[in-house]
DNA sequence: AGGGTTTTGTACTGATCGGTTGGTGACCCG
DNA sequence: CGGGTCACCAACCGATCAGTACAAAACCCT
């Protein structure tokens, strides 16, 4: 398995040149159409979002798409990076609480809210995008897995700090707890994708938090 | 959304006729090639498993596939039903323990083991099969969601019994707990698909069980 | 051995896939 | 207002998609 790195900052690669001063100006805003592409991938997955689906969702035609984004895979990488910057970043930011308990609660609550936000498709692009793919698109699965692993690493980092501060129940392993939290969040994503309500997910979070409520 | 029912018993529909006494006999065993198809769907998802992938995995050619199974979607339904009968049935059977705690533990342990069984692709067909699909295959997502909902209903049923027997912590809602358990199991499936080990999943189960350890 | 029946394998169908070509249109600069 | 440069758009490309037609092969029965 080749290594995949996730671009979490704003994309500023060579392909996306600064607006030239000559020539016909673009009739679309790159971020706007990227958001629409993100939504299409989110809803249908990488393979399920054909170029016809994408272009009609984005409101541009193929040559414009290819000129602006390179190809389908690169468009997806841009979309996924943007998804990270906007959606995933919310949950990660929620980790910044004074205690481990509060951090995990905030993370799970923010996830549950994001997964059921009516402004977007239900669920999570990191999973819907393509947990399983055709052999020739295996790289997409790797990219998504790397994104999830990065989020889990952020949770673990917060919990490792908590362990050092004596802020975790005795014998609780930060890595295992991070995995538990991420797994639950991913399961919530699956549930959200099949129609679970926000309240449903928060009730599940309530139960999960009992696992942390036993102190020392 | 149209209703989808899951066939959990052995398929005995009209298409799969009894072996005729005349004509050239089949060169393959239907259940054997169905198992291979299941594995291909499991590994690549419904859309990622093209007919070329399927036929070469099954070791038969297209006309044989179509004669035996109808079409790709019907083949998938057969594969999914078989997956339920064999894999999911293990976890459901594990629910049959004397206490709620033991039932949930057994369910989660059996799931974790199944998700990391080296005799099969890692993860869970119910999720990898196609959480998100192209618009024309939306029915596949519904079928899979119905399967997951059926499993969750089985968990809830066991827990409702436990509630009646006073075998759940005070104020614990069976539906919410079932959702929590299923979500965790689904998250474990996502983790397994991206390479988590069996021990990783069991450590996460250990933590989840703490949520139930608080009695009354 | 020969007729009836079913499976097998090759080669095909139209549709759609991701991606590109080439001509036209729209803008800035001189 | 003319030349240069880039974006837009329709139509196209080969490859692959799910699904099928047809003839040869393999069996049972008489």
């Amino acid at each position: 398995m080749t290594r995949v790195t996730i671009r979490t900052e704003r994309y500023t690669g060579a392909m996306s040149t600064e607006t030239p001063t000559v020539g016909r100006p673009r009739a679309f805003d790159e971020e706007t159409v990227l958001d629409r592409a993100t939504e299409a991938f989110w809803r249908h997955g990488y393979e399920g979002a054909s170029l016809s689906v994408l272009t009609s969702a984005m409101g541009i035609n193929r040559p414009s798409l290819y000129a602006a984004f390179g190809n389908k895979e690169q468009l997806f990488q841009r979309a996924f990076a943007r998804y990270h910057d906007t959606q995933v970043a919310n949950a990660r930011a929620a980790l910044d609480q004074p205690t481990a308990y509060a951090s995990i609660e905030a993370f799970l609550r923010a996830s549950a809210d994001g997964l059921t936000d009516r402004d977007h498709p239900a669920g999570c692009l990191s999973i819907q995008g393509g947990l399983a793919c055709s052999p020739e698109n295996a790289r997409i699965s790797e990219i998504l897995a790397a994104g999830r692993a990065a989020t889990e690493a952020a949770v673990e980092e917060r919990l490792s700090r908590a362990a050092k501060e004596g802020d975790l129940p005795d014998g609780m392993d930060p890595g295992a707890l991070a995995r538990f939290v991420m797994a639950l969040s991913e399961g919530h994503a699956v549930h959200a994708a099949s129609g679970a309500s926000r309240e449903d997910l928060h009730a599940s979070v309530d139960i999960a938090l009992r696992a942390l409520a036993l102190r020392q």
Side-chain angles (χ1 to χ4, degrees), chain A:
Chain A
M1 196 186 297
T2 54
R3 190 162 213 98
V4 175
T5 56
I6 291 300
R7 187 193 303 284
T8 52
E9 284 122 88
R10 184 82 153 289
Y11 188 89
T12 54
M15 181 185 56
S16 173
T17 59
E18 306 73 45
T19 311
T21 57
V22 294
R24 179 172 173 174
R26 276 199 184 146
F28 62 90
D29 175 63
E30 200 166 298
E31 293 213 336
T32 302
V33 301
L34 181 56
D35 278 340
R36 294 195 187 149
T38 305
E39 202 172 303
F41 281 130
W42 197 338
R43 203 180 297 281
H44 301 298
Y46 179 77
E47 297 186 324
S50 68
L51 279 188
S52 301
V53 167
L54 287 168
T55 51
S56 85
M58 298 165 84
I60 64 178
N61 47 36
R62 287 167 192 228
S64 299
L65 189 157
Y66 278 82
F69 299 100
N71 62 20
K72 190 185 179 185
E73 179 174 337
Q74 287 167 35
L75 171 63
F76 182 79
Q77 299 215 35
R78 288 280 301 275
F80 188 51
R82 187 155 172 77
Y83 176 79
H84 258 257
D85 291 346
T86 57
Q87 308 298 315
V88 180
N90 281 339
R92 279 180 70 152
L95 286 171
D96 188 23
Q97 306 293 332
T99 66
Y101 185 96
S103 298
I104 289 186
E105 166 152 32
F107 178 85
L108 289 174
R109 302 275 181 217
S111 291
D113 289 342
L115 293 170
T116 55
D117 184 348
R118 290 183 183 283
D119 290 348
H120 300 290
C124 168
L125 175 61
S126 304
I127 298 173
Q128 263 135 295
L131 191 56
C133 275
S134 69
E136 62 266 27
N137 289 324
R139 162 154 283 261
I140 299 295
S141 302
E142 293 174 20
I143 290 170
L144 294 172
R148 296 192 303 267
T151 305
E152 184 170 316
V155 176
E156 180 172 356
E157 196 174 358
R158 175 65 188 86
L159 293 175
S160 293
R161 204 186 89 200
K164 262 187 244 155
E165 295 167 350
D167 186 28
L168 279 189
D170 271 350
M172 178 74 82
D173 174 44
L177 182 52
R179 205 176 306 120
F180 166 77
V181 170
M182 268 304 285
L184 187 66
S185 171
E186 288 158 356
H188 286 168
V190 174
H191 267 67
S194 27
S197 73
R198 181 169 291 185
E199 294 70 36
D200 286 344
L201 302 189
H202 281 289
S204 174
V205 172
D206 291 341
I207 294 173
L209 291 171
R210 295 170 60 109
L212 275 186
L214 283 174
R215 296 278 167 171
Q216 321 312 10

